[in-house]
Amino acid sequence: MADRIIINEVGPRDGIQSQDGELSLEQRRLFIQALLDAGIRHLEMGSFVSPRAVPQMAGTDDLARSLEVPADVHLSALVPNTKGYELAREAGVKTVAVVASATDTMNQKNIRMSLDQTMRVCLEIIERGSREGVRVQAYLAVAYECPFEGSTNPAVVIDLAAQLLESGATELVVADTIGAANPAQVKQLMGTLAASHPVERLACHFHDTRALGLANVYAAIEQGIRRFDASVGGLGGCPFAPGAKGNVATEDVVMLCEQMGFETGVDMPALLEVVDLIGSMLGRTQGGRAHYWLSKNAA
């Protein structure tokens, strides 16, 4: 574990949910298959949310049923509430993700519930997952800064993290939803969490709004974190969070980790082909900060 970084690819959900156009179910399936062919083994394939709110995620149940994946692949889907959880279970999804924002306003804007209400829903789904054999990843959104309330109190994040992990969440993902964190903040927060909880249950989700995404990944690695969300080509952004730009690019994170001596299991040339594929599907060029160099030098 110490020498391996687990990349959780979120392009098929977080990456495309904020795009102007909508991909067909067959395009989404081909996108996911290409990522798996490139060596990705942890992947967020969609979300069970209202298609009226997020039309890009319509038909995720049919998509889940159509996917045939190897036993070593872990597919997850975001669920906003117990109805979403039940739909995911019916579709055969074995890992779900719940999201609680660390500020009250962000929860209201995102899912029209208070922080307390959101936490009750998350804890209920975690408890059900524990009983019913479903892995539940718990996300803490706006963990560093909220677009509506400003800087997030670290003490609140630490308290919410403890509640989610102690209730049985398989994994806690600390999310810098609008890309506002800096490496010093990441070092402090993730170091504190790693001192109190098993590091293998901690993960990070960074956006690259201020060009600090990779620096924040490095700061988290230094604190023992070995699980990271990333989105191929830097796709992403939250439609409910003003200022949330693309996720840190998968190819950038893979490059950083492997040049530092870690294993990711990802085939870089094949991953770059996926960047081209999703770019053609969306009708615009995609790529992380190192894409030009990688396209010239990745063998």
Side-chain angles (χ1 to χ4, degrees), residues 125-143:
I125 292 173
I126 292 169
E127 192 275 333
R128 282 192 63 177
S130 297
R131 283 192 287 109
E132 298 170 358
V134 177
R135 297 177 73 254
V136 183
Q137 300 168 323
Y139 277 74
L140 267 179
V142 296

Side-chain angles (χ1 to χ4, degrees), residues 155-178:
V156 172
V157 176
I158 291 166
D159 175 63
L160 295 174
Q163 292 184 52
L164 293 165
L165 285 168
E166 290 168 7
S167 71
T170 307
E171 180 178 305
L172 176 79
V173 187
V174 181
D176 180 22
T177 309
I178 61 173

Side-chain angles (χ1 to χ4, degrees), residues 123-293:
L123 295 174
E124 178 184 348
I125 292 173
I126 292 169
E127 192 275 333
R128 282 192 63 177
S130 297
R131 283 192 287 109
E132 298 170 358
V134 177
R135 297 177 73 254
V136 183
Q137 300 168 323
Y139 277 74
L140 267 179
V142 296
Y144 296 92
E145 185 173 314
C146 172
F148 307 104
E149 296 188 20
S151 296
T152 303
N153 184 348
V156 172
V157 176
I158 291 166
D159 175 63
L160 295 174
Q163 292 184 52
L164 293 165
L165 285 168
E166 290 168 7
S167 71
T170 307
E171 180 178 305
L172 176 79
V173 187
V174 181
D176 180 22
T177 309
I178 61 173
N182 65 61
Q185 291 174 305
V186 172
K187 177 181 178 181
Q188 180 64 41
L189 180 58
M190 297 313 299
T192 299
L193 291 172
S196 303
H197 306 285
V199 72
E200 61 270 16
R201 294 177 66 193
L202 301 176
C204 289
H205 176 110
F206 294 115
H207 286 243
D208 205 30
T209 310
R210 305 183 189 182
L212 291 174
L214 278 186
N216 289 333
V217 170
Y218 175 78
I221 289 174
E222 289 288 280
Q223 299 308 304
I225 307 304
R226 298 292 183 265
R227 295 174 179 264
F228 295 93
D229 283 4
S231 181
V232 67
L235 283 172
C238 176
F240 306 105
K245 300 301 181 185
N247 291 267
V248 65
T250 307
E251 61 269 28
D252 287 350
V253 177
V254 170
M255 178 196 68
L256 171 70
C257 294
E258 295 200 342
Q259 289 192 6
M260 290 175 63
F262 293 100
E263 296 178 1
T264 65
V266 177
D267 181 334
M268 181 63 78
L271 187 65
L272 295 175
E273 290 180 5
V274 184
V275 178
D276 293 339
L277 173 66
I278 191 60
S280 67
M281 287 180 176
L282 295 172
R284 52 186 173 275
T285 302
Q286 296 297 143
R289 296 189 178 276
H291 185 77
Y292 176 81
W293 183 88

Side-chain angles (χ1 to χ4, degrees), residues 20-101:
D20 294 332
E22 298 172 23
L23 301 184
S24 68
L25 284 182
E26 179 60 14
Q27 285 178 311
R28 290 166 66 187
R29 188 190 67 78
L30 291 172
F31 180 28
I32 290 170
Q33 188 59 57
L35 287 162
L36 299 179
D37 291 344
I40 294 292
R41 286 297 174 266
H42 293 73
L43 186 145
E44 186 181 43
M45 49 77 62
S47 61
F48 288 84
V49 296
S50 167
R52 293 187 300 275
V54 188
Q56 296 87 345
M57 292 291 101
T60 293
D61 54 345
D62 291 331
L63 177 63
R65 293 187 180 98
S66 73
L67 295 171
E68 296 182 7
V69 298
D72 65 336
V73 169
H74 302 274
L75 295 183
S76 64
L78 183 145
V79 298
N81 48 39
T82 53
K83 179 181 178 180
Y85 170 83
E86 290 163 358
L87 290 172
R89 280 203 68 202
E90 291 171 6
V93 177
K94 298 179 180 178
T95 300
V96 300
V98 295
V99 181
S101 296

